[in-house]
C-alpha cells in the first residue's frame, strides 16, 4: 500500500472521482469499512479520501465496480485525468477530440480501450498481440463497455 505522502499527490483527482462516484452510486460506501480497518488514523479530509480510495482500489472484486472505479483502478486516470491526455496532444477524452478522432460512440471507444491504439495499450481480455496490450490486469467485456459509456457521459459534462 502506498504511503500517505506519495498518495497526497493524487488527492485532488481522487476526491473528484470519489465525489462523482458517490453522486452516481452508493457502491463506494461499501469500501468505508475497509478504510476503517486499515487503521490509518487519518489527520485530514485529504488523508481520509486517499485511504478510502486506496482501500476501494485494493479491494479487488468484492462487488461490481462502477465506471469511475474502473477508470481509476485500470490506470486510465494516469494519462487521462480530467479527460485530458498527458501522452498525446489532440487525443483527449473531450467531446471535440473524440469526434475529431472518430471515437465519439461507445463502440469506437470500446475498440480503443479493448485493443489499444498508438501509445495506448489495450485492456481487453483477448487483446493481442501481447506487446500491444497492458501487462497489468485485463478488463472484462462488461467493464470495457461500462467504461466506454462512462467516457462519453463524462465528455458530455466536460469531465466535471
Amino acid at each position: 500500500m502506498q504511503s500517505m505522502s506519495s498518495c497526497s499527490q493524487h488527492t485532488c483527482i481522487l476526491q473528484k472521482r470519489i465525489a462523482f462516484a458517490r453522486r452516481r452510486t452508493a457502491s463506494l460506501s461499501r469500501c468505508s469499512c475497509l478504510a476503517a480497518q486499515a487503521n490509518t488514523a487519518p489527520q485530514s479530509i485529504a488523508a481520509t479520501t486517499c485511504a478510502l480510495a486506496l482501500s476501494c482500489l485494493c479491494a479487488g472484486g468484492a462487488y461490481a465496480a462502477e465506471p469511475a472505479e474502473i477508470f481509476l483502478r485500470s490506470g486510465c486516470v494516469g494519462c487521462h485525468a480530467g479527460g485530458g491526455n498527458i501522452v498525446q496532444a489532440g487525443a483527449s477524452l473531450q467531446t471535440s477530440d473524440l469526434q475529431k478522432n472518430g471515437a465519439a460512440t461507445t463502440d469506437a471507444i470500446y475498440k480503443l480501450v479493448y485493443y489499444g491504439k498508438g501509445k495506448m495499450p489495450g485492456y481487453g481480455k483477448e487483446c493481442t498481440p501481447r506487446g500491444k496490450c497492458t501487462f497489468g490486469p485485463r478488463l472484462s467485456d462488461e467493464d470495457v463497455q461500462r467504461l466506454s459509456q462512462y467516457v462519453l457521459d463524462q465528455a458530455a459534462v466536460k469531465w466535471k
Side-chain angles (χ1 to χ4, degrees), residues 22-97:
R22 283 182 178 156
R23 287 190 309 268
R24 295 276 306 250
T25 182
S27 69
L28 279 179
S29 65
R30 297 178 192 166
C31 293
S32 61
C33 63
L34 294 172
Q37 291 172 356
N39 195 22
T40 57
Q43 301 298 317
S44 68
I45 293 173
T48 302
T49 302
C50 189
L52 176 60
L54 286 174
S55 66
C56 290
L57 296 175
C58 296
Y63 57 92
E66 293 303 316
E69 293 175 71
I70 299 167
F71 192 78
L72 283 168
R73 183 187 71 220
S74 63
C76 305
V77 73
C79 297
H80 296 289
N85 187 331
I86 64 169
V87 177
Q88 184 174 342
S92 75
L93 302 181
Q94 303 296 334
T95 302
S96 59
D97 280 347

